[in-house]
Amino acid sequence: MSWDRHLVSQIPVTGVGWEDVGISGFRSGGDRELEAKGRVKQEKPKKSKASHDKNEDVEEDEDDGEAVNDLIDDNPIEEDDSEDDESEGSRKRRKREDEDELSDRLEDDDYDLIEENLGFKVQRKKFKRLKRIEDEDSDQEQGDDRDAIANQLFEGSDNEEERREPVREETTGQYSSEESRVSTLRLMTSLREKKQSRRRRKMKSIYEIYEPHELERAGFTDEDNKIRSTDIPERMQLRSVPITPANDDELDEEAEWIYKTAFSKRDAKKEQVKKPPAMALAPVNLKPTGMMIGTSKQLVPGPPQTTVAPAAGADENWEEDDEWDKPKAPAASAISKPPGTQVGDQENWEDEDWDAGPKKATGTKFSAAAAPDKPQEEVKPQIIPKIRKALEFMRTWLFEVPFIAFYRKEFVHPDLSINDLWKIYRLDARFCQLKNRKSKLIELFRNMREHQTDLIMAMTDDPISDSMRLITDEDLERIKSIKSADELKDMYLFFSLYYADEVPNMKEGLIRKRMKERQCAMNAAAADRGKGENGEEPPPEPDGGAKSSIKRKIGGGAYAMCKKMGVDSFLTKFGLSPEKFAENLRDNYQRHEVDQHSSEPLEAAKEMLSERLKTPEEVLKAAKLMMATQISREPDVRRCVREVFFERATISCHPTTKGQKEIDEAHPCFSMKYIKEKPVRDLTPDQFMKLSLAEEDRFLSISLGEKISGMMAPNYIDEVKPLFQKDEFSKVVQDWNDLRGECIEFAFEKLLYPIFRKELRVKLLEDSKTHVLKFCSDKMHNWLKIAPFRAEFPEEDEEEWDTTKGLRVLAIAFVNDYEQAAFACLVSPDGEPLEHLRLQSIIKNKKSFKESDRQEKLADLLGLTEFIRNKKPHAIVIGGESREALMIQEDVKEIVSELVSEEAFPLITVEVVDNQLAKCYANSLKAGHDFPEYPLLLKEGVSLGRRLLDPLLEFTQLCNTDEEILCMRFHPLQDHVPKEELLEHLYLEFVNRTNEVGVDLNRSLSYPHTSSVVQFTCGLGPRKATALLKILKQNNQRLENRTQLITTCHMGPKIFINCSGFIKIDTNSLGDSTESYVEVLDGSRVHPETYEWARKMAVDALDCDDEDANPASALEEILESPEKLKDLDLNAFAEELKRQGFEDKSITLCDIRVELYNRYKDLRTQYQSPSPEEVFNMLTKETPETLYIGKLITATVTGITYKKPQVDAVPFKNEVTGRWQCPFCGKNDFPDLFDLSDVWVHFDAGACPGQATGIRIRLDNGISGFIPISKLSDSQVTNPEQRVKRGQTVHCRVVKIDVERFSVECTSRTSDLHDIKQEWRPAKDPSYDQEREDHENQKEDDAWKNKQRQTYIKRVIVHPSFKNISYREAEVLMDTMDQGEVIVRPSSKGANHLTVTWKVADGVYQHIDVKEEGKENAFSLGQSLLIGTDEFGDIDEIIARHVNPMASHARDLINFKKSAKADEYLLEEKAKNANKIHYIIQASKEYPGKFLLSYLPRTKPVHEFVTVTPEGLKFRQQIFDCLEGLLNWFKKYYRNPPPGWSAPSAPYTPRKFYPQMPSQSYISPYIPKTS
């Protein structure tokens, strides 16, 4: 029995074949439907007297109809059955007659005019016509064209229905007069002439109306139509390398190659992060996972003996088999291989781009075999046959991966997961491309060998040249053994080195030979015919045309020049050919000894001297070049060196000048900006991509493989040299060994290493991209694995809370903008928005300080309460926009609690869900098409509700031609991987999950927003899915059984086999609404090919006799009582199937039993509320990579925290001010100096805020933070208000993250910000080059210091005080000058500045900057001289008005009191007289121009500044004309605190204790404390 008969045996429709059900030609359903709608049925013209009347418009209309039909379907128009018996010639003649008859027919307007003139009705000839599309030049009519064709092509056939008007009854009568007859004839003649002269209009083609990109986007190109109509899975058709059939030997070879490429070496690192397979496969034991599989005999049902599209009436007669209802294996003749296009059929093989290859397999890592702990030798024998079987299913039977994973499980389980099968699918493309290129390369080698044979045969008397390398069978075998694209490229480079110059001659010889063979064949044919009637032979084709197409290589390189000079003959003196050296390197020992030449290299080179090579050194240089080139082109050498290079290569990098500034702690390359010789094998998956991006931005300079170390020697080259040298110690041998070693160095360092560095860079970048792609697919996997939300309510609740038909979800979407209203949207169980509510103030706080905000929030909550009371949602979801979502969640929970307590509502779940998907959907083109009137937030709410109902369906809405799924953020580096590869990996996750869940086509028809998931069904794709849905929609019917996929949807056998098991039909909902047979198994994962086994199990479970049993009723009974299946002995059933020729079917039978327990049970993970950490990341939009402990951030100060006094304390007097001071808050401005009552009132009245404990901050992402006062500064801080103020931006580091409270603890200490102890910054790489970083930093510091050195431009200024000297020279010169003397000198700030240096005191010099304006040239003095804002006319004015007054005041201060050490002097004077307050004035060396006023009020000295200015002496922000006035004021107000100073707080002191008052010394904030 053929597989087609077996398939039909499961269909309850008898007497139907593929041709009968519409499989003829395998046209797509969409094309057939449009063809049926667009075709105008031909009608035989009726004989009448008016048959000669014709109208051109009819022909126009028919032409338009044919044009529209041609746009839709290229198949020929089928005739009616009534015309089948007519010959083609008669039909053509009748068509011409009909066209002639219709050409002159009148339109309705003409008939109306005639009847009005004649006074009676005439018979009108009516005909069918399509709706015309006017062809006008106006923009409006152009739009009508587009709309009309869009209605026909993209939407449906509403405008294609035929319209027929009733024929008016003919009224007989006589003309009233001859005059009226004449006028009527004239009128008819003029109208006919008018019609004939009317310009014929033709409908515009679809390609003229729509842009190519619009047609491509809508899927109406020729390629799209071909994909739709071909009975091959769409994804297989779209693969970059076509699927091709393979014989057994090729499958064995490919399985071995795939095993060695992807499965022989397990990557331990990737294995640790490997996600579980997307669809769990049943283990070997008899406890399946619930996934349904189909039959899997040794010979499984396969495709018929057809090519891509078999014609109707193929040799498939199902009715001929008497035992069609029993599953059988097909005959051997029924197994055929589908054709495929070979890869790269390019005529010029050598023009192939060898650097470009197929996309690498970047799927997830292969999961461990059944026993992960077994050694690989044990896994290999059992996994290779399974790989081969998977390849056979893919290449021979055209089964897609999901079908193999579900319904051919016994052939791959448990060693190959579905992700492994996808990996095999990708590797198959690489293997096919590699095999095709190998075949082309073998053909090229054979052609060259044939060309060499012809040359040798043509020169039999001449010896074979030493420069000719003969191609042997070993070369062809070497090509056949190639396992990678790199090896293939090496072999091609080897060919190009030795034979590139002969390729043009080879082509010419092949062309001549082919033309000669063709000529001989023509001559032989002519001889057989007797040379024709006239005895002439056809002229031979000229050779010039063929020769003109040959591309010759222009010029050559250094190797070609050396070869032309005959240096290649000298290479034999090296004693070892490159081929033999390659064998030595391959075997890693000196397999071939060196044949030592007797003379020294220079002596031997003298024999090769010529006009071009004049010295022996030049000969040796040329020979070294040729030998090194030949060594570098040896395939074995390149393979061995490549392996060592990739294994031992190291990477080093350092920042550029730009990178020194740009790469900070926040940069991903901060921990790697200095790397020294880090092995590339130690790079983490995405590290190299980060480094590469930094290099593209010119932040880093990267070097790869600068030094390749050896195993026994420091350098790998030193290990290789002995394999090309002679182990002797004579001078001749040593000279030759040195020459051979130079050849090795040149070949490796100059020729091989640069190429391998590029290859290694590409490989590392591909590995990084693979990691990013896997991360993105894992994230999509985790999103899609969540099952629809489930809500359970007590059974006693009303029917309104019944969830059997789905959930009503209330979704709330908002943004952090008080001006923008939020929306609450109620989504039906089917995903349709029912009603919505506008919430203007939902994000405001109920405890707001503004009464208006509180009232508005209360009004929104009342409206929301009423909405929930009336609509009764089963679940409420809130978009996770920000932290305010938690506030809204609490508000809604309070509403639900009130309804539960007051109105006996059940407890409704309130969830917060990530709104990234909702935002992408709201801004998508699809959302704009679905809800054009909805605002963005309302669209977002619809998406939130739908996601809770079914995440898979909602995510698929972004999988469209606009590729909006890429708007989702999966990985920070996702924008740096190819978009096509990222889409492929994401879509594979959709394919896996969709086929696990199943697709309900009827639901997709009823609710268009769920139709996007159909494209991911096994065997389908976007084009086939659209055509399938369109057929069902146009037929206005639902899918009642899987048989209709064939009978109604015209699905081909291959597509049906792939997809039928994954299309589920809700048979319970059909009920009595259909007259068709309802197959209950159509609502399960059981494949149609195994229906008989399921029926057999049902019958056996009920203990019914096979003769009397009704399988259909048995199935229905089993579905109601599935527990009866547990008593079945499935092992005995499997043994019986074995005896019938099947393999072990235990897994299959167990899966059937599990599926009958619960049809299409959802195997996805149940929804769980997000954890606190997930909520934190969701609402803050942070990740562990963006917010972590130790991160340097900026924050805004929002306030200062205080700790209220917990114990009684005693105020104390401040030693500096003498006033009482609060020990908690430090307040010291109480009015009474002696009364403590004000201080006690300050305590008792609660006016004391308490001791400051820290500052509150807020991060940019809305997270609140806190900096303890102990971590505010390295120095002690008692009052934070002295350091920060509200609204100020501060730098800090995160030291603790509290995800539950949405807060962080930070530090702003300088030592922590600079991370002096190296405890906060990201950990540096183990290979970090700290020594180089320190050297670079020191070098940068030195450069900065050199830049800061004062440089002077000599000036030409005539003045006695001006000198062209530096600042150091000025100070030396002033050492001998009097106090107040002035030197004017050039400034280091440039030619527009001067510096005035004057002597303040001995050893104290002040430098004043003077800015010049109005300069005539760079060397002259400016017309205006500015010191700050004061303007002076010349240098004399500066000295007189500015310097001299300051010098006079300085002299007064200097001459007041003199002492070496102020503190010692004050203490001595205090000891002599303790009743006085002693003071002294001294010049400050640290701040020239300032003097220190030191005094001793109690026990510790106090220092304050007195500044000398031209206006006088400045003290405590007051100006005094003379020293005497300053001292008098000081003696009177010295107790007052300086402006802007507040005393530090004191520690707590309980009231009941009265210890001695602590003494404190006052240190002015403007004076550094001196010793």
Side-chain angles (χ1 to χ4, degrees), residues 407 1042 1056-1063 1084-1088 1160:
Y407 299 112
R1042 288 171 175 169
F1056 178 82
I1057 282 289
N1058 275 283
C1059 76
S1060 58
F1062 303 108
I1063 294 178
S1084 68
R1085 290 185 176 91
V1086 182
H1087 197 275
Y1160 257 110

Side-chain angles (χ1 to χ4, degrees), residues 405-460:
F406 281 92
Y407 299 112
R408 296 295 181 264
K409 193 183 301 182
E410 53 273 2
F411 292 98
V412 296
H413 183 74
D415 300 308
L416 298 177
S417 67
I418 190 170
N419 292 320
D420 298 327
L421 293 175
W422 282 118
K423 183 189 296 185
I424 294 172
Y425 179 78
R426 296 191 195 97
L427 290 175
D428 172 66
R430 290 177 55 189
F431 177 83
C432 293
Q433 190 172 40
L434 177 65
K435 184 176 178 60
N436 179 264
R437 289 183 173 181
K438 285 167 60 176
S439 62
K440 291 165 66 178
L441 186 58
I442 290 174
E443 181 182 0
L444 187 60
F445 267 76
R446 287 175 176 170
N447 291 338
M448 182 57 67
R449 184 167 66 174
E450 184 179 350
H451 174 67
Q452 289 179 341
T453 303
D454 295 341
L455 291 179
I456 294 174
M457 296 301 295
M459 300 181 296
T460 55

Side-chain angles (χ1 to χ4, degrees), residues 65-75 77:
E66 293 174 1
V68 174
N69 190 38
D70 291 341
L71 293 177
I72 301 170
D73 192 359
D74 295 334
N75 295 319
I77 298 177

Side-chain angles (χ1 to χ4, degrees), residues 895-915:
I895 294 175
V896 172
S897 299
E898 293 177 1
L899 293 175
V900 169
S901 61
E902 296 176 2
E903 302 189 16
F905 262 54
L907 187 61
I908 302 174
T909 305
V910 183
E911 296 287 345
V912 177
V913 176
D914 185 17
N915 66 337

Side-chain angles (χ1 to χ4, degrees), residues 82-122:
S82 60
E83 297 177 355
D84 290 341
D85 56 340
E86 298 181 19
S87 64
E88 182 177 0
S90 63
R91 286 198 297 268
K92 292 182 178 179
R93 285 193 301 271
R94 191 175 68 231
K95 181 177 180 181
R96 286 195 298 269
E97 293 173 1
D98 293 343
E99 291 174 353
D100 295 338
E101 177 187 0
L102 297 174
S103 60
D104 291 336
R105 285 185 177 178
L106 301 180
E107 292 184 349
D108 292 342
D109 297 341
D110 303 331
Y111 279 113
D112 293 339
L113 184 59
I114 292 173
E115 292 172 350
E116 182 179 354
N117 287 293
L118 295 178
F120 59 86
K121 294 184 178 180
V122 298

Side-chain angles (χ1 to χ4, degrees), residues 1 83 317 377 379 484 734 826-827 832 1009 1026 1182 1226 1438 1513 1553:
M1 181 184 90
E83 297 177 355
N317 297 320
E377 289 74 9
V379 179
S484 67
Q734 291 301 319
L826 184 67
V827 181
E832 297 293 336
H1009 72 274
T1026 303
E1182 299 285 355
I1438 291 176
L1513 298 174
F1553 297 112

Side-chain angles (χ1 to χ4, degrees), residues 1511-1546:
E1511 293 78 14
L1513 298 174
K1514 185 177 181 181
F1515 178 68
R1516 293 194 180 184
Q1517 300 183 1
Q1518 297 191 42
I1519 301 297
F1520 299 92
D1521 295 336
C1522 60
L1523 178 59
E1524 184 179 359
L1526 185 150
L1527 294 177
N1528 291 334
W1529 188 91
F1530 165 70
K1531 293 175 182 178
K1532 186 177 180 180
Y1533 299 104
Y1534 77 95
R1535 293 181 181 273
N1536 293 347
W1541 177 85
S1542 62
S1545 63

